[in-house]
Amino acid sequence: MKCIVAGREAVTAAEFAELALGTPVELWLGVEGESDEERAARLDAARDILADPEYRNLPDDLVRLAARVVEDYPDLFNVVPLASPARRRPVRRGVAA
């Protein structure tokens, strides 16, 4: 099944989100290793987009998209607590006299 949004085909989930929302996912999530200056510029651009009347419904759209992901892929959120490793006790050794 093809995912077509606004006449364009989305191949990956990230492309689908970008086409559906009209903005790249990295704008909101950032990228690994970005500098403080890059982060500040990205957040400034995101604030400008949210201030634009065309995108006034974007937060609601994001919530709907997240809810759909949770609904469609519930196994993504099956969190299993990991067992805590046993504490090691210090070994006391006698001093030879």
Side-chain angles (χ1 to χ4, degrees):
M1 176 182 253
K2 292 183 179 182
C3 293
I4 298 177
V5 179
R8 301 188 78 186
E9 183 178 349
V11 178
T12 66
E15 287 177 359
F16 177 79
E18 183 174 339
L19 289 171
L21 299 171
T23 61
V25 175
E26 293 82 8
L27 177 67
W28 308 104
L29 302 179
V31 293
E32 190 173 330
E34 71 183 356
S35 68
D36 290 340
E37 188 176 274
E38 291 168 327
R39 182 176 189 274
R42 178 178 57 76
L43 293 176
D44 190 42
R47 277 189 287 278
D48 287 347
I49 288 172
L50 289 175
D52 187 328
E54 180 181 345
Y55 289 97
R56 69 175 177 268
N57 294 327
L58 186 60
D60 294 333
D61 294 342
L62 288 170
V63 170
R64 277 192 288 278
L65 180 62
R68 180 139 187 214
V69 167
V70 171
E71 189 175 273
D72 291 349
Y73 303 98
D75 292 342
L76 287 176
F77 302 95
N78 285 344
V79 179
V80 178
L82 298 175
S84 298
R87 290 185 137 199
R88 292 185 175 196
R89 295 184 183 178
V91 178
R92 296 184 183 230
R93 299 177 189 215
V95 178

